[in-house]
Amino acid sequence: MTTTNTEAIAIDQFVDAPPSKVWRTLTDPQLHARWWVPGDIAATVGHRFHLQMPGWGAVACEVLEVIPEEKLVYTFNESWTLTWRLAAEGKGTRLFFEHSGFDFDQKSERDAFNRMGPGWRDKVLPQLAQTAAQLTD
C-alpha cells in the first residue's frame, strides 16, 4: 500500500462585508470573474463547471458541498479541492480558505503549491475581499 504525501494551502481572510455579499462574490459567475477568473460556477451540489485559467485553459470543477452563506466546496482539476468557509464576524466575514490535495511526491505539485500559496494570500483573496466590500445591496 502506498501513501501519498499531500499538503494544503490554508488562509484566513477578513472581509469587510457580511456573509451574504461574500457568498454572492463566490457564487455569482459575473462577480467571480471580477476577483479571480471567468467560469460558469453555481452553488448546486453536483454542478460541473469550468474556470478559464490563464495559461491552463478550461479547468474542470465539480461542486461537492453547499451550505448557503457558510460553506462551498468544489474540485479544481482532477486532484485538488477548494474549500471556502464563511463565518460572520462583527459587520464582516471571516473567510477560511483551503486549497488541498497537493501531492508533494511530485515536483510539479510542490512547485504549484509554492507558487499558489502567495498568489492566493497576496492577490486572489484580497481581490475577493475588495469585490465583496464594494457590492451594493
Side-chain angles (χ1 to χ4, degrees):
M1 176 181 198
T2 352
T3 56
T4 303
N5 180 16
T6 60
E7 297 291 335
I9 296 165
I11 300 168
D12 172 340
Q13 171 81 46
F14 179 76
V15 181
D16 190 16
S20 60
K21 289 185 180 182
V22 177
W23 185 256
R24 279 179 41 213
T25 304
L26 284 170
T27 61
D28 178 294
Q30 290 181 331
L31 294 174
H32 195 279
R34 286 177 43 193
W35 64 269
W36 189 19
V37 294
D40 51 337
I41 190 166
T44 305
V45 172
H47 176 67
R48 293 175 186 266
F49 64 102
H50 291 86
L51 294 177
Q52 301 300 322
M53 302 301 299
W56 288 20
V59 174
C61 304
E62 181 178 354
V63 178
L64 303 176
E65 185 176 353
V66 173
I67 302 172
E69 297 185 15
E70 290 182 24
K71 188 174 185 183
L72 177 66
V73 181
Y74 54 86
T75 61
F76 180 80
N77 79 19
E78 295 175 4
S79 58
W80 296 336
T81 301
L82 303 184
T83 301
W84 310 86
R85 289 186 306 110
L86 290 66
E89 183 175 306
K91 294 181 180 179
T93 304
R94 182 63 57 182
L95 176 62
F96 300 97
F97 169 77
E98 182 177 276
H99 182 165
S100 60
F102 291 94
D103 179 357
F104 272 26
D105 293 335
Q106 296 183 38
K107 182 183 182 318
S108 62
E109 295 265 325
R110 283 193 314 273
D111 292 346
F113 177 89
N114 290 330
R115 276 191 326 275
M116 290 179 172
W120 283 117
R121 182 185 61 249
D122 300 336
K123 184 177 182 196
V124 180
L125 267 62
Q127 287 174 174
L128 182 155
Q130 181 179 19
T131 301
Q134 292 173 345
L135 287 181
T136 57
D137 289 326

